[in-house]
Amino acid sequence: MNKWFAVNTAPHQETRAQLNLNRQGYETWLPVFSKTRRHARKTETVKAALFPGYLFVTLDLERDAWTPINGTFGVRRLVIQNAKPSALPAGFVQDLRNMTDEAGLIARTDNPFAPGDSVRIAEGPFADLVASVFDLPTESRVRVLLEVLGGSVVTTISPFLLSPAQ
């Protein structure tokens, strides 16, 4: 039975890794969103990886050879646990795909947060810490101000990992 697995890519090589994996016959998916960036006094809208450094591949571990993935140009490694690829939770990729629009981009969802809001981080190294929303650089990122070790640190995080602090 096919399941989805995460592939860690080389920095800024998600598209290259996807192309090379597809050439080898693997089914992949790279979730992207529309991002506005400024560079050299120009503003442009580009596609950016929703999860920088990662893409997804579907495999049947009983049938498919998965070790060649690690030798693919643009790929660092398949995410592995206990010497076997670690499958993503059931429905994770499908839920993300349901959020895409007709252009294949993760559809913009109205960010429920505003600068100054107090939020709680749900997962990751800062789990359960309360932070203050600093700004909203894109529709899929929130910059928060954390008070850690007696100092203030600004970090960028997905709004899906935040909840309003009570």
Side-chain angles (χ1 to χ4, degrees):
M1 181 172 142
N2 282 1
K3 294 183 180 179
W4 287 97
F5 297 86
V7 175
N8 182 226
T9 67
H12 309 290
Q13 296 292 309
E14 298 91 358
T15 305
R16 180 182 188 193
Q18 182 181 34
L19 177 67
N20 289 323
L21 288 169
N22 289 343
R23 284 180 181 162
Q24 295 176 56
Y26 294 105
E27 180 187 349
T28 62
W29 186 58
L30 175 61
V32 293
F33 69 100
S34 181
K35 172 181 170 179
T36 302
R37 72 174 181 189
R38 288 182 43 109
H39 179 70
R41 296 187 204 155
K42 292 181 184 177
T43 301
E44 61 183 346
T45 302
V46 296
K47 290 181 181 180
L50 184 63
F51 303 104
Y54 291 91
L55 62 88
F56 306 116
V57 63
T58 183
L59 298 168
D60 180 348
L61 294 181
E62 303 296 319
R63 185 192 69 215
D64 299 327
W66 55 268
T67 53
I69 292 173
N70 291 334
T72 302
F73 287 114
V75 171
R76 277 189 177 165
R77 68 185 86 55
L78 188 61
V79 177
I80 294 178
Q81 187 175 17
N82 297 328
K84 290 182 71 179
S86 180
L88 293 168
F92 177 79
V93 171
Q94 189 57 47
D95 289 345
L96 280 174
R97 282 189 157 177
N98 290 341
M99 295 171 57
T100 59
D101 61 16
E102 55 278 348
L105 300 170
I106 297 292
R108 179 180 179 157
T109 57
D110 290 330
N111 196 323
F113 305 110
D117 286 354
S118 185
V119 294
R120 182 174 305 280
I121 301 173
E123 296 179 23
F126 300 117
D128 293 327
L129 289 180
V130 175
S132 177
V133 174
F134 186 70
D135 72 347
L136 307 168
T138 68
E139 61 272 2
S140 64
R141 299 285 189 255
V142 176
R143 195 170 290 139
V144 296
L145 181 66
L146 291 166
E147 300 293 328
V148 182
L149 301 173
S152 297
V153 176
V154 176
T155 188
T156 304
I157 192 166
S158 168
F160 299 113
L161 300 178
L162 301 174
S163 63
Q166 306 325 344

PDB file of all heavy atoms in Angstrom, residues 3-9 21 29 51 53-59 69-70 75 77-80 85-89 92-93:
ATOM      1  N   LYS A   3       2.178   4.904   0.707  1.00  0.00           N
ATOM      2  CA  LYS A   3       2.112   5.912   1.763  1.00  0.00           C
ATOM      3  C   LYS A   3       3.027   7.051   1.349  1.00  0.00           C
ATOM      4  O   LYS A   3       3.917   6.892   0.522  1.00  0.00           O
ATOM      5  CB  LYS A   3       2.577   5.337   3.103  1.00  0.00           C
ATOM      6  CG  LYS A   3       1.660   4.268   3.649  1.00  0.00           C
ATOM      7  CD  LYS A   3       2.133   3.796   4.991  1.00  0.00           C
ATOM      8  CE  LYS A   3       1.195   2.727   5.519  1.00  0.00           C
ATOM      9  NZ  LYS A   3       1.646   2.225   6.812  1.00  0.00           N
ATOM     10  N   TRP A   4       2.809   8.211   1.947  1.00  0.00           N
ATOM     11  CA  TRP A   4       3.628   9.383   1.662  1.00  0.00           C
ATOM     12  C   TRP A   4       4.778   9.471   2.657  1.00  0.00           C
ATOM     13  O   TRP A   4       4.602   9.237   3.847  1.00  0.00           O
ATOM     14  CB  TRP A   4       2.794  10.651   1.707  1.00  0.00           C
ATOM     15  CG  TRP A   4       1.890  10.792   0.526  1.00  0.00           C
ATOM     16  CD1 TRP A   4       0.563  10.457   0.454  1.00  0.00           C
ATOM     17  CD2 TRP A   4       2.248  11.285  -0.762  1.00  0.00           C
ATOM     18  NE1 TRP A   4       0.087  10.725  -0.811  1.00  0.00           N
ATOM     19  CE2 TRP A   4       1.094  11.232  -1.570  1.00  0.00           C
ATOM     20  CE3 TRP A   4       3.433  11.776  -1.317  1.00  0.00           C
ATOM     21  CZ2 TRP A   4       1.083  11.654  -2.892  1.00  0.00           C
ATOM     22  CZ3 TRP A   4       3.425  12.199  -2.631  1.00  0.00           C
ATOM     23  CH2 TRP A   4       2.262  12.130  -3.404  1.00  0.00           C
ATOM     24  N   PHE A   5       5.948   9.860   2.137  1.00  0.00           N
ATOM     25  CA  PHE A   5       7.159   9.996   2.936  1.00  0.00           C
ATOM     26  C   PHE A   5       7.795  11.350   2.640  1.00  0.00           C
ATOM     27  O   PHE A   5       7.643  11.890   1.542  1.00  0.00           O
ATOM     28  CB  PHE A   5       8.151   8.878   2.595  1.00  0.00           C
ATOM     29  CG  PHE A   5       7.630   7.510   2.913  1.00  0.00           C
ATOM     30  CD1 PHE A   5       6.849   6.819   1.993  1.00  0.00           C
ATOM     31  CD2 PHE A   5       7.895   6.914   4.127  1.00  0.00           C
ATOM     32  CE1 PHE A   5       6.349   5.569   2.280  1.00  0.00           C
ATOM     33  CE2 PHE A   5       7.402   5.655   4.433  1.00  0.00           C
ATOM     34  CZ  PHE A   5       6.624   4.979   3.509  1.00  0.00           C
ATOM     35  N   ALA A   6       8.518  11.887   3.612  1.00  0.00           N
ATOM     36  CA  ALA A   6       9.193  13.171   3.438  1.00  0.00           C
ATOM     37  C   ALA A   6      10.615  12.938   2.936  1.00  0.00           C
ATOM     38  O   ALA A   6      11.314  12.028   3.391  1.00  0.00           O
ATOM     39  CB  ALA A   6       9.227  13.940   4.752  1.00  0.00           C
ATOM     40  N   VAL A   7      11.035  13.778   2.007  1.00  0.00           N
ATOM     41  CA  VAL A   7      12.391  13.751   1.462  1.00  0.00           C
ATOM     42  C   VAL A   7      13.049  15.081   1.799  1.00  0.00           C
ATOM     43  O   VAL A   7      12.512  16.137   1.462  1.00  0.00           O
ATOM     44  CB  VAL A   7      12.377  13.545  -0.072  1.00  0.00           C
ATOM     45  CG1 VAL A   7      13.784  13.636  -0.636  1.00  0.00           C
ATOM     46  CG2 VAL A   7      11.723  12.220  -0.435  1.00  0.00           C
ATOM     47  N   ASN A   8      14.190  15.024   2.489  1.00  0.00           N
ATOM     48  CA  ASN A   8      14.954  16.233   2.803  1.00  0.00           C
ATOM     49  C   ASN A   8      15.826  16.553   1.594  1.00  0.00           C
ATOM     50  O   ASN A   8      16.554  15.693   1.104  1.00  0.00           O
ATOM     51  CB  ASN A   8      15.795  15.983   4.053  1.00  0.00           C
ATOM     52  CG  ASN A   8      16.596  17.186   4.483  1.00  0.00           C
ATOM     53  OD1 ASN A   8      17.766  17.061   4.787  1.00  0.00           O
ATOM     54  ND2 ASN A   8      15.997  18.347   4.519  1.00  0.00           N
ATOM     55  N   THR A   9      15.724  17.794   1.113  1.00  0.00           N
ATOM     56  CA  THR A   9      16.466  18.188  -0.084  1.00  0.00           C
ATOM     57  C   THR A   9      17.637  19.089   0.286  1.00  0.00           C
ATOM     58  O   THR A   9      17.692  19.636   1.389  1.00  0.00           O
ATOM     59  CB  THR A   9      15.558  18.945  -1.076  1.00  0.00           C
ATOM     60  OG1 THR A   9      15.175  20.192  -0.502  1.00  0.00           O
ATOM     61  CG2 THR A   9      14.338  18.130  -1.432  1.00  0.00           C
ATOM     62  N   LEU A  21      13.665  12.882  -9.160  1.00  0.00           N
ATOM     63  CA  LEU A  21      12.896  11.746  -8.635  1.00  0.00           C
ATOM     64  C   LEU A  21      11.813  11.322  -9.623  1.00  0.00           C
ATOM     65  O   LEU A  21      11.590  10.123  -9.833  1.00  0.00           O
ATOM     66  CB  LEU A  21      12.287  12.093  -7.282  1.00  0.00           C
ATOM     67  CG  LEU A  21      13.268  12.170  -6.119  1.00  0.00           C
ATOM     68  CD1 LEU A  21      12.609  12.774  -4.888  1.00  0.00           C
ATOM     69  CD2 LEU A  21      13.841  10.794  -5.800  1.00  0.00           C
ATOM     70  N   TRP A  29       5.364  15.165  -4.741  1.00  0.00           N
ATOM     71  CA  TRP A  29       4.551  16.373  -4.638  1.00  0.00           C
ATOM     72  C   TRP A  29       5.312  17.402  -3.821  1.00  0.00           C
ATOM     73  O   TRP A  29       5.831  17.097  -2.741  1.00  0.00           O
ATOM     74  CB  TRP A  29       3.200  16.093  -4.011  1.00  0.00           C
ATOM     75  CG  TRP A  29       2.309  17.293  -4.028  1.00  0.00           C
ATOM     76  CD1 TRP A  29       1.912  17.987  -5.130  1.00  0.00           C
ATOM     77  CD2 TRP A  29       1.735  17.957  -2.916  1.00  0.00           C
ATOM     78  NE1 TRP A  29       1.107  19.045  -4.762  1.00  0.00           N
ATOM     79  CE2 TRP A  29       0.976  19.048  -3.400  1.00  0.00           C
ATOM     80  CE3 TRP A  29       1.764  17.738  -1.548  1.00  0.00           C
ATOM     81  CZ2 TRP A  29       0.278  19.902  -2.581  1.00  0.00           C
ATOM     82  CZ3 TRP A  29       1.053  18.594  -0.728  1.00  0.00           C
ATOM     83  CH2 TRP A  29       0.324  19.660  -1.239  1.00  0.00           C
ATOM     84  N   PHE A  51       7.305  24.014   2.663  1.00  0.00           N
ATOM     85  CA  PHE A  51       8.230  23.452   3.647  1.00  0.00           C
ATOM     86  C   PHE A  51       9.625  23.503   3.036  1.00  0.00           C
ATOM     87  O   PHE A  51      10.045  22.548   2.366  1.00  0.00           O
ATOM     88  CB  PHE A  51       7.859  22.003   3.992  1.00  0.00           C
ATOM     89  CG  PHE A  51       6.451  21.838   4.507  1.00  0.00           C
ATOM     90  CD1 PHE A  51       5.466  21.315   3.700  1.00  0.00           C
ATOM     91  CD2 PHE A  51       6.128  22.228   5.794  1.00  0.00           C
ATOM     92  CE1 PHE A  51       4.172  21.158   4.162  1.00  0.00           C
ATOM     93  CE2 PHE A  51       4.828  22.080   6.269  1.00  0.00           C
ATOM     94  CZ  PHE A  51       3.850  21.545   5.450  1.00  0.00           C
ATOM     95  N   GLY A  53      13.182  22.923   1.967  1.00  0.00           N
ATOM     96  CA  GLY A  53      14.068  21.790   2.197  1.00  0.00           C
ATOM     97  C   GLY A  53      13.380  20.436   2.211  1.00  0.00           C
ATOM     98  O   GLY A  53      14.023  19.419   2.496  1.00  0.00           O
ATOM     99  N   TYR A  54      12.093  20.398   1.873  1.00  0.00           N
ATOM    100  CA  TYR A  54      11.367  19.121   1.887  1.00  0.00           C
ATOM    101  C   TYR A  54      10.401  19.022   0.713  1.00  0.00           C
ATOM    102  O   TYR A  54       9.863  20.020   0.249  1.00  0.00           O
ATOM    103  CB  TYR A  54      10.568  18.949   3.190  1.00  0.00           C
ATOM    104  CG  TYR A  54      11.456  18.748   4.380  1.00  0.00           C
ATOM    105  CD1 TYR A  54      11.890  19.830   5.121  1.00  0.00           C
ATOM    106  CD2 TYR A  54      11.901  17.481   4.735  1.00  0.00           C
ATOM    107  CE1 TYR A  54      12.736  19.674   6.202  1.00  0.00           C
ATOM    108  CE2 TYR A  54      12.744  17.310   5.814  1.00  0.00           C
ATOM    109  CZ  TYR A  54      13.153  18.406   6.541  1.00  0.00           C
ATOM    110  OH  TYR A  54      14.003  18.234   7.602  1.00  0.00           O
ATOM    111  N   LEU A  55      10.187  17.790   0.266  1.00  0.00           N
ATOM    112  CA  LEU A  55       9.123  17.454  -0.657  1.00  0.00           C
ATOM    113  C   LEU A  55       8.620  16.081  -0.251  1.00  0.00           C
ATOM    114  O   LEU A  55       9.179  15.459   0.650  1.00  0.00           O
ATOM    115  CB  LEU A  55       9.583  17.512  -2.114  1.00  0.00           C
ATOM    116  CG  LEU A  55      10.682  16.572  -2.596  1.00  0.00           C
ATOM    117  CD1 LEU A  55      10.106  15.253  -3.080  1.00  0.00           C
ATOM    118  CD2 LEU A  55      11.392  17.236  -3.760  1.00  0.00           C
ATOM    119  N   PHE A  56       7.566  15.613  -0.895  1.00  0.00           N
ATOM    120  CA  PHE A  56       6.952  14.349  -0.509  1.00  0.00           C
ATOM    121  C   PHE A  56       6.998  13.358  -1.656  1.00  0.00           C
ATOM    122  O   PHE A  56       6.867  13.731  -2.814  1.00  0.00           O
ATOM    123  CB  PHE A  56       5.502  14.578  -0.070  1.00  0.00           C
ATOM    124  CG  PHE A  56       5.371  15.611   1.016  1.00  0.00           C
ATOM    125  CD1 PHE A  56       4.699  16.794   0.783  1.00  0.00           C
ATOM    126  CD2 PHE A  56       5.937  15.413   2.259  1.00  0.00           C
ATOM    127  CE1 PHE A  56       4.583  17.759   1.769  1.00  0.00           C
ATOM    128  CE2 PHE A  56       5.842  16.366   3.256  1.00  0.00           C
ATOM    129  CZ  PHE A  56       5.159  17.539   3.009  1.00  0.00           C
ATOM    130  N   VAL A  57       7.184  12.088  -1.303  1.00  0.00           N
ATOM    131  CA  VAL A  57       7.225  11.013  -2.286  1.00  0.00           C
ATOM    132  C   VAL A  57       6.326   9.889  -1.785  1.00  0.00           C
ATOM    133  O   VAL A  57       6.257   9.630  -0.582  1.00  0.00           O
ATOM    134  CB  VAL A  57       8.677  10.516  -2.530  1.00  0.00           C
ATOM    135  CG1 VAL A  57       9.278   9.911  -1.280  1.00  0.00           C
ATOM    136  CG2 VAL A  57       8.744   9.535  -3.682  1.00  0.00           C
ATOM    137  N   THR A  58       5.611   9.240  -2.720  1.00  0.00           N
ATOM    138  CA  THR A  58       4.758   8.120  -2.334  1.00  0.00           C
ATOM    139  C   THR A  58       5.470   6.817  -2.679  1.00  0.00           C
ATOM    140  O   THR A  58       6.063   6.686  -3.758  1.00  0.00           O
ATOM    141  CB  THR A  58       3.362   8.202  -2.996  1.00  0.00           C
ATOM    142  OG1 THR A  58       2.564   7.123  -2.518  1.00  0.00           O
ATOM    143  CG2 THR A  58       3.420   8.159  -4.494  1.00  0.00           C
ATOM    144  N   LEU A  59       5.426   5.889  -1.729  1.00  0.00           N
ATOM    145  CA  LEU A  59       6.121   4.605  -1.885  1.00  0.00           C
ATOM    146  C   LEU A  59       5.296   3.475  -1.296  1.00  0.00           C
ATOM    147  O   LEU A  59       4.544   3.678  -0.338  1.00  0.00           O
ATOM    148  CB  LEU A  59       7.464   4.617  -1.133  1.00  0.00           C
ATOM    149  CG  LEU A  59       8.539   5.606  -1.536  1.00  0.00           C
ATOM    150  CD1 LEU A  59       9.635   5.647  -0.477  1.00  0.00           C
ATOM    151  CD2 LEU A  59       9.112   5.214  -2.876  1.00  0.00           C
ATOM    152  N   ILE A  69      16.694   6.828  -3.720  1.00  0.00           N
ATOM    153  CA  ILE A  69      16.275   8.205  -3.459  1.00  0.00           C
ATOM    154  C   ILE A  69      17.416   8.998  -2.825  1.00  0.00           C
ATOM    155  O   ILE A  69      17.660  10.147  -3.178  1.00  0.00           O
ATOM    156  CB  ILE A  69      15.010   8.232  -2.573  1.00  0.00           C
ATOM    157  CG1 ILE A  69      13.815   7.672  -3.357  1.00  0.00           C
ATOM    158  CG2 ILE A  69      14.722   9.641  -2.046  1.00  0.00           C
ATOM    159  CD1 ILE A  69      12.552   7.491  -2.549  1.00  0.00           C
ATOM    160  N   ASN A  70      18.151   8.368  -1.914  1.00  0.00           N
ATOM    161  CA  ASN A  70      19.234   9.061  -1.209  1.00  0.00           C
ATOM    162  C   ASN A  70      20.386   9.448  -2.128  1.00  0.00           C
ATOM    163  O   ASN A  70      21.167  10.330  -1.787  1.00  0.00           O
ATOM    164  CB  ASN A  70      19.751   8.218  -0.053  1.00  0.00           C
ATOM    165  CG  ASN A  70      18.730   8.097   1.062  1.00  0.00           C
ATOM    166  OD1 ASN A  70      17.875   8.953   1.230  1.00  0.00           O
ATOM    167  ND2 ASN A  70      18.818   7.028   1.824  1.00  0.00           N
ATOM    168  N   VAL A  75      18.778  15.697  -3.552  1.00  0.00           N
ATOM    169  CA  VAL A  75      18.250  15.069  -2.339  1.00  0.00           C
ATOM    170  C   VAL A  75      19.372  14.897  -1.322  1.00  0.00           C
ATOM    171  O   VAL A  75      20.463  14.457  -1.663  1.00  0.00           O
ATOM    172  CB  VAL A  75      17.630  13.683  -2.658  1.00  0.00           C
ATOM    173  CG1 VAL A  75      17.274  12.928  -1.388  1.00  0.00           C
ATOM    174  CG2 VAL A  75      16.412  13.848  -3.545  1.00  0.00           C
ATOM    175  N   ARG A  77      18.503  13.278   1.898  1.00  0.00           N
ATOM    176  CA  ARG A  77      18.142  11.954   2.382  1.00  0.00           C
ATOM    177  C   ARG A  77      16.634  11.828   2.544  1.00  0.00           C
ATOM    178  O   ARG A  77      15.940  12.812   2.728  1.00  0.00           O
ATOM    179  CB  ARG A  77      18.820  11.648   3.705  1.00  0.00           C
ATOM    180  CG  ARG A  77      18.317  12.487   4.865  1.00  0.00           C
ATOM    181  CD  ARG A  77      19.027  12.304   6.167  1.00  0.00           C
ATOM    182  NE  ARG A  77      20.211  13.037   6.463  1.00  0.00           N
ATOM    183  CZ  ARG A  77      20.392  14.355   6.446  1.00  0.00           C
ATOM    184  NH1 ARG A  77      19.442  15.121   6.035  1.00  0.00           N
ATOM    185  NH2 ARG A  77      21.501  14.913   6.824  1.00  0.00           N
ATOM    186  N   LEU A  78      16.178  10.613   2.468  1.00  0.00           N
ATOM    187  CA  LEU A  78      14.798  10.293   2.799  1.00  0.00           C
ATOM    188  C   LEU A  78      14.714  10.301   4.326  1.00  0.00           C
ATOM    189  O   LEU A  78      15.632   9.835   5.003  1.00  0.00           O
ATOM    190  CB  LEU A  78      14.470   8.906   2.246  1.00  0.00           C
ATOM    191  CG  LEU A  78      13.056   8.390   2.294  1.00  0.00           C
ATOM    192  CD1 LEU A  78      12.118   9.288   1.509  1.00  0.00           C
ATOM    193  CD2 LEU A  78      12.992   6.986   1.715  1.00  0.00           C
ATOM    194  N   VAL A  79      13.653  10.852   4.883  1.00  0.00           N
ATOM    195  CA  VAL A  79      13.514  10.894   6.342  1.00  0.00           C
ATOM    196  C   VAL A  79      13.278   9.469   6.831  1.00  0.00           C
ATOM    197  O   VAL A  79      12.316   8.814   6.441  1.00  0.00           O
ATOM    198  CB  VAL A  79      12.376  11.844   6.762  1.00  0.00           C
ATOM    199  CG1 VAL A  79      12.186  11.819   8.277  1.00  0.00           C
ATOM    200  CG2 VAL A  79      12.678  13.257   6.286  1.00  0.00           C
ATOM    201  N   ILE A  80      14.210   9.007   7.677  1.00  0.00           N
ATOM    202  CA  ILE A  80      14.229   7.603   8.120  1.00  0.00           C
ATOM    203  C   ILE A  80      14.178   7.540   9.638  1.00  0.00           C
ATOM    204  O   ILE A  80      14.767   8.368  10.333  1.00  0.00           O
ATOM    205  CB  ILE A  80      15.502   6.910   7.593  1.00  0.00           C
ATOM    206  CG1 ILE A  80      15.442   6.834   6.069  1.00  0.00           C
ATOM    207  CG2 ILE A  80      15.683   5.538   8.205  1.00  0.00           C
ATOM    208  CD1 ILE A  80      16.658   6.228   5.431  1.00  0.00           C
ATOM    209  N   PRO A  85      12.212   4.120   6.100  1.00  0.00           N
ATOM    210  CA  PRO A  85      11.549   5.413   5.881  1.00  0.00           C
ATOM    211  C   PRO A  85      10.356   5.575   6.818  1.00  0.00           C
ATOM    212  O   PRO A  85       9.619   4.626   7.099  1.00  0.00           O
ATOM    213  CB  PRO A  85      11.086   5.330   4.423  1.00  0.00           C
ATOM    214  CG  PRO A  85      12.020   4.358   3.797  1.00  0.00           C
ATOM    215  CD  PRO A  85      12.318   3.346   4.868  1.00  0.00           C
ATOM    216  N   SER A  86      10.208   6.762   7.331  1.00  0.00           N
ATOM    217  CA  SER A  86       9.140   7.079   8.273  1.00  0.00           C
ATOM    218  C   SER A  86       7.965   7.704   7.526  1.00  0.00           C
ATOM    219  O   SER A  86       8.089   8.796   6.972  1.00  0.00           O
ATOM    220  CB  SER A  86       9.692   8.046   9.328  1.00  0.00           C
ATOM    221  OG  SER A  86       8.692   8.380  10.244  1.00  0.00           O
ATOM    222  N   ALA A  87       6.835   7.008   7.507  1.00  0.00           N
ATOM    223  CA  ALA A  87       5.648   7.471   6.773  1.00  0.00           C
ATOM    224  C   ALA A  87       5.025   8.679   7.467  1.00  0.00           C
ATOM    225  O   ALA A  87       5.060   8.803   8.690  1.00  0.00           O
ATOM    226  CB  ALA A  87       4.621   6.351   6.655  1.00  0.00           C
ATOM    227  N   LEU A  88       4.466   9.574   6.662  1.00  0.00           N
ATOM    228  CA  LEU A  88       3.741  10.715   7.192  1.00  0.00           C
ATOM    229  C   LEU A  88       2.386  10.247   7.724  1.00  0.00           C
ATOM    230  O   LEU A  88       1.870   9.203   7.303  1.00  0.00           O
ATOM    231  CB  LEU A  88       3.535  11.744   6.088  1.00  0.00           C
ATOM    232  CG  LEU A  88       4.808  12.404   5.579  1.00  0.00           C
ATOM    233  CD1 LEU A  88       4.538  13.169   4.298  1.00  0.00           C
ATOM    234  CD2 LEU A  88       5.377  13.327   6.633  1.00  0.00           C
ATOM    235  N   PRO A  89       1.784  10.997   8.634  1.00  0.00           N
ATOM    236  CA  PRO A  89       0.460  10.608   9.145  1.00  0.00           C
ATOM    237  C   PRO A  89      -0.553  10.483   8.012  1.00  0.00           C
ATOM    238  O   PRO A  89      -0.511  11.246   7.044  1.00  0.00           O
ATOM    239  CB  PRO A  89       0.083  11.760  10.087  1.00  0.00           C
ATOM    240  CG  PRO A  89       1.369  12.416  10.445  1.00  0.00           C
ATOM    241  CD  PRO A  89       2.287  12.210   9.268  1.00  0.00           C
ATOM    242  N   PHE A  92      -2.285  13.476   5.781  1.00  0.00           N
ATOM    243  CA  PHE A  92      -1.525  14.723   5.853  1.00  0.00           C
ATOM    244  C   PHE A  92      -1.379  15.361   4.472  1.00  0.00           C
ATOM    245  O   PHE A  92      -1.708  16.533   4.279  1.00  0.00           O
ATOM    246  CB  PHE A  92      -0.151  14.470   6.480  1.00  0.00           C
ATOM    247  CG  PHE A  92       0.736  15.679   6.534  1.00  0.00           C
ATOM    248  CD1 PHE A  92       0.556  16.640   7.500  1.00  0.00           C
ATOM    249  CD2 PHE A  92       1.752  15.858   5.605  1.00  0.00           C
ATOM    250  CE1 PHE A  92       1.363  17.763   7.551  1.00  0.00           C
ATOM    251  CE2 PHE A  92       2.572  16.967   5.645  1.00  0.00           C
ATOM    252  CZ  PHE A  92       2.368  17.927   6.622  1.00  0.00           C
ATOM    253  N   VAL A  93      -0.873  14.599   3.503  1.00  0.00           N
ATOM    254  CA  VAL A  93      -0.664  15.137   2.165  1.00  0.00           C
ATOM    255  C   VAL A  93      -1.998  15.444   1.494  1.00  0.00           C
ATOM    256  O   VAL A  93      -2.143  16.477   0.834  1.00  0.00           O
ATOM    257  CB  VAL A  93       0.204  14.181   1.309  1.00  0.00           C
ATOM    258  CG1 VAL A  93       0.246  14.628  -0.137  1.00  0.00           C
ATOM    259  CG2 VAL A  93       1.617  14.110   1.892  1.00  0.00           C
TER     260      VAL A  93
END
